Amino acid sequence: MSLDYVKFTPGFGKFMPKEYRDMVEHGPFGKKTSVSQVGTFKEILEEHPMCAGCAMTLFIRLAIIAFPNPEDTITVGTAGCGRLAISQAAIPFVYGNYGDQNGVASGLSRGLRLRFGDKPKDVVVMAGDGGMADIGFAQTLHSWFRKEKFTTIMLDNEVYGNTGGQESGMTNKGQVLKMAPLGKKFEKMDMLGMAKVAGCAYVATVVPNNPRRVESVIKKAVLIAREVGPTYIQAYTSCNIEYAIPTDKVMEDAKDVENDRYAFSEYLTDEAKQHLAELYGYKEYLPKPAAAVTKG
Ligand code: SF4
């Protein structure tokens, strides 16, 4: 049903731009595509104006491939590097005024549920650490406390990359930056802990150099958010400009940071596990059979 809006009006296909025809004929809408098939289908995000080698763009590309129903997904973002790429994708993007993204997504998600009922319409917020943990902090947290059913993804480059290198709440203590020449004086914010306290049903950390893992966490987060409650993914997406990482070392840096302080972590509530097992066949979350009682 939702695919109708990407189909051609009969007879008009030959007049449509090639890019559009490719998307309808070879794109991922209505099909099951995965990161292991990259190169065999037309991707929703293929071009962006971000810096060469930026890890954030790789993560965004993988995340969009991983959306379970891309044709029924709307992304929401705000000012910052990430939205330069997200807004180029061939799915709807809504711009939340600086820091408003989780408030905008709340209204959007509720409106879509009223309008479309049971049909899945996924809302995914993707924004930087500055927009999410600093400027939009209150809206982020309140959307979680209100149990809004959408996914929030932080593109954590640990700096305001877009405006020249100011420290953010997610910058590590002691880090020297162009606009923080004496080093940051405070600890990195524990957004993961706050997400759990605020009631997120799924919380994960990930780095972009493991595409299958990125795909796995995004799919779970979106599927859980549909029915159970808010989900949060925190992705380390380095800024090679502000952290002076040579472009050919960006993935090496991601691996080092993963080993050092950004290890993969995943938290699910029991309800989220049950939801994944019963509705989507995730066997690892099926209840374990009770151990046989042995007579002494
Ligand atoms: S400034 Fe940093 S985060 Fe922004 S696009 Fe460039 S490398 Fe990526």
Side-chain angles (χ1 to χ4, degrees):
M1 185 71 176
S2 58
L3 292 176
D4 283 348
Y5 61 69
V6 295
K7 289 180 187 158
F8 305 125
T9 303
F12 277 83
K14 59 179 184 254
F15 300 112
M16 299 302 286
K18 183 168 182 324
E19 279 281 299
Y20 193 88
R21 274 190 280 131
D22 279 351
M23 183 52 73
V24 174
E25 287 158 9
H26 309 294
F29 296 155
K31 298 174 197 140
K32 291 257 178 281
T33 48
S34 112
V35 293
S36 59
Q37 295 168 293
V38 163
T40 66
F41 62 94
K42 169 91 174 161
E43 288 181 49
I44 291 170
L45 176 66
E46 290 191 325
E47 294 180 7
H48 63 80
M50 293 170 71
C51 300
C54 176
M56 195 183 287
T57 56
L58 173 62
F59 177 82
I60 294 168
R61 179 183 178 195
L62 295 172
I64 289 178
I65 292 171
F67 288 163
N69 292 65
E71 66 279 4
D72 284 306
T73 304
I74 298 179
T75 54
V76 183
T78 191
C81 293
R83 72 71 218 214
L84 298 171
I86 303 162
S87 58
Q88 303 296 311
I91 53 174
F93 167 76
V94 179
Y95 181 85
N97 209 4
Y98 210 176
D100 287 352
Q101 63 280 353
N102 279 50
V104 170
S106 300
L108 185 60
S109 170
R110 290 183 188 206
L112 289 168
R113 281 166 206 278
L114 286 174
R115 169 67 180 81
F116 293 99
D118 290 341
K119 288 179 207 138
K121 291 284 173 189
D122 300 319
V123 174
V124 177
V125 172
M126 270 197 270
D129 44 309
M132 200 166 278
D134 295 350
I135 299 156
F137 179 64
Q139 299 209 25
T140 305
L141 235 64
H142 276 276
S143 72
W144 293 342
F145 275 115
R146 286 194 310 269
K147 305 284 185 289
E148 302 287 353
K149 289 177 177 167
F150 61 84
T151 298
T152 301
I153 302 172
M154 180 192 285
L155 306 165
D156 182 16
N157 63 359
E158 304 181 322
V159 66
Y160 285 82
N162 201 233
T163 50
Q166 295 81 9
E167 70 179 44
S168 81
M170 299 300 284
T171 303
N172 290 293
K173 187 176 181 184
Q175 181 66 50
V176 173
L177 295 160
K178 278 189 210 142
M179 299 288 181
L182 300 179
K184 189 184 174 193
K185 299 211 173 349
F186 311 100
E187 297 290 347
K188 182 180 178 89
M189 289 169 70
D190 181 10
M191 289 294 284
L192 299 162
M194 283 186 264
K196 291 174 196 166
V197 168
C200 284
Y202 179 81
V203 179
T205 45
V206 74
V207 300
N209 56 350
N210 187 334
R212 281 184 192 272
R213 185 174 281 160
V214 173
E215 179 171 49
S216 166
V217 300
I218 300 280
K219 274 204 199 316
K220 286 182 200 170
V222 174
L223 294 176
I224 292 169
R226 259 186 211 169
E227 308 286 342
V228 182
T231 57
Y232 174 58
I233 295 171
Q234 191 172 299
Y236 172 71
T237 55
S238 66
C239 175
N240 44 316
I241 297 297
E242 295 304 332
Y243 280 81
I245 307 165
T247 50
D248 61 341
K249 302 278 184 219
V250 166
M251 287 298 105
E252 208 175 301
D253 165 76
K255 188 74 201 150
D256 290 346
V257 171
E258 181 182 38
N259 290 337
D260 179 43
R261 60 189 167 78
Y262 229 99
F264 170 63
S265 68
E266 204 176 36
Y267 156 90
L268 298 88
T269 61
D270 288 343
E271 191 185 358
K273 286 180 189 169
Q274 189 182 348
H275 178 73
L276 287 184
E278 289 177 1
L279 262 77
Y280 299 102
Y282 281 75
K283 292 198 182 73
E284 65 268 39
Y285 300 127
L286 283 171
K288 303 274 179 292
V293 180
T294 49
K295 289 189 180 161

